[in-house]
């Protein structure tokens, strides 16, 4: 009884028996099957091999044969496509930046400090002290701890009553977009700009409209034209060390931008994420300081100069806008976790804060210089738009005809992670670019990264 029909009959009998068992249960031994079904060992072997091939059983040499895990059919979620309608926001590029890199990767894409640049010892001590404080796991005022609001206010130069604590810059940005413009309204953004701002605007159902900028920041003449053409009542800008270009709004343009915003009866969201990251110059005061009538809504955060998971920031606004911001923030998360706020209070009140900033700026300056030197040495055909005097990013323009997406993919195969430039533009980019960061790699790693990048660039068409 070793022909194909015998094998098929035995396989059917064993399949039915396996169906009565649970996944992982053991089938009878080959000797027991021979005795029970009156078949030869060869027939048993062939029947079990057939069941293993179809996924009914799993054979483990030396242990026996077991019922395989049962696979349930994939759920049919196609109905959701109809129910959800059009997708308002694409966060694929943002998600890629947030990926945790594999060990050994040369990371020139992360906008967060490397582990060795974070004040982890101080944060651990502050967290331990905060955890022992009475009431630390209780509620806090919705606008934030009074001590933290006062600390932010002192840093910015505003009244503490105008400060609302938020869960990091991205959360504050999302709150501001939702509070300051109705769904479907246009919002003006610098071109290029922070891609997280584009995603947040889209998530708020706003319509992003680009306004060109250059090495001196936002262009006031084109800003006035954009307000006139679109009827927008909201502008998002980074006047200091903009992401991705590193540009600082020129002194001559500061009042012009404010005048244009005022004439349009609009709000300006001033994203001041890099205020503590000046490397070669004295950081200019916030535009907020020159705004008398509540047109500027100011956003800052501790995440970039401290650590990725210190998700603490502040929104500053006056008038009815402040109430709108507070209301949206309250609906989203009621209040910000008190332990994190307590840690931030400790940070602001400690001499370690200024020591950390001094050490951090020196380290970032060294890393920026290593990246710039590597670009000039290894990639002379790449245009360095400017050497940033602060922030975390270097913006470069590639030779015409280079496929930036292809270059990024090739670099990843050589364990170098860089960001293509096109996601930083709301509309078609004027040419191929890369955003390179120097916060998450050592000077030696940055030097090695530019060398590997150069080797891939020369292999591409157009170079």
């Amino acid at each position: 009884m070793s022909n194909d029909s015998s094998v098929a009959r035995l396989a059917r009998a064993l399949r039915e028996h396996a169906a009565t068992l649970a996944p992982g249960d053991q089938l009878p031994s080959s000797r027991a099957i021979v005795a029970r079904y009156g078949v030869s060992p060869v027939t048993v072997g062939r029947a079990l091999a057939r069941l293993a091939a179809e996924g009914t059983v799993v054979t483990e040499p030396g242990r026996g044969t077991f019922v395989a895990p049962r696979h349930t059919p994939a759920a049919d979620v196609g109905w959701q496509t109809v129910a959800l309608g059009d997708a308002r926001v694409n966060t694929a590029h943002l998600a890629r930046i947030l990926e945790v890199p594999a060990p050994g990767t040369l990371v020139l894409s992360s906008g967060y400090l490397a582990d060795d640049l974070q004040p982890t010892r101080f944060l651990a001590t502050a967290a331990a002290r905060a955890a022992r404080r009475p009431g630390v796991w209780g509620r806090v005022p919705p606008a934030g701890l009074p001590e933290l609001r006062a600390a932010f206010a002192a840093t910015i130069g505003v009244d503490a009553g105008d400060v609302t604590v938020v869960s990091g810059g991205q959360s504050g940005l999302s709150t501001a977009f939702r509070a300051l413009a109705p769904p479907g309204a246009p919002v003006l953004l610098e071109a290029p700009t922070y891609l997280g701002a584009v995603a947040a605007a889209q998530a708020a159902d706003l319509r992003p409209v680009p306004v060109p900028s250059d090495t001196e920041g936002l262009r006031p003449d084109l800003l006035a034209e954009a307000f006139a053409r679109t009827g927008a009542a909201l502008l998002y800008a980074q006047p200091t060390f903009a992401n991705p270009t590193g540009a600082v709004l020129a002194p001559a343009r500061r009042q012009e931008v404010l005048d244009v915003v005022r004439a349009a009866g609009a709000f300006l969201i001033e994203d001041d994420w890099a205020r503590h990251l000046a490397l070669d110059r004295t950081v200019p005061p916030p535009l907020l300081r020159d705004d008398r009538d509540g047109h500027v809504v100011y956003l800052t955060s501790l995440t970039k100069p401290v650590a990725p998971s210190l998700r603490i920031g502040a929104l500053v606004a006056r008038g009815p806008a402040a109430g709108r911001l507070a209301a949206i923030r309250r609906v989203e998360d009621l209040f910000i976790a008190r332990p994190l706020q307590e840690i931030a209070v400790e940070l602001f009140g400690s001499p370690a804060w200024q020591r950390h900033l001094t050490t951090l700026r020196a380290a970032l300056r060294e890393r920026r210089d290593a990246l710039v030197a590597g670009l000039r040495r290894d990639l002379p055909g790449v245009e360095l738009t400017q050497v940033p005097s602060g922030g975390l990013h270097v913006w470069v323009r590639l030779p015409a005809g280079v496929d930036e997406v292809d270059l990024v993919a090739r670099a990843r195969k050589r364990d170098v992670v860089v960001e293509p430039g096109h996601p930083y533009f709301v509309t078609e980019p004027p040419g191929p670019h890369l955003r390179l960061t120097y916060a998450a790699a050592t000077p030696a790693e940055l030097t090695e990264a530019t060398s590997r990048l150069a080797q891939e660039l020369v292999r591409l068409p157009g170079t």
Side-chain angles (χ1 to χ4, degrees), residues 49-67:
R50 181 173 297 186
L51 295 181
E54 68 186 33
T56 301
V57 300
V58 176
T59 300
E60 299 183 13
R63 293 192 61 231
T65 303
F66 302 84
V67 177

Side-chain angles (χ1 to χ4, degrees), residues 20-62:
T20 67
L21 303 176
D25 285 351
Q26 187 171 10
L27 268 66
S29 67
S30 295
R31 183 176 298 177
I33 294 174
V34 168
R36 179 176 178 179
Y37 292 99
V39 296
S40 70
V42 173
T43 299
V44 173
R46 289 178 178 176
L48 290 177
R50 181 173 297 186
L51 295 181
E54 68 186 33
T56 301
V57 300
V58 176
T59 300
E60 299 183 13

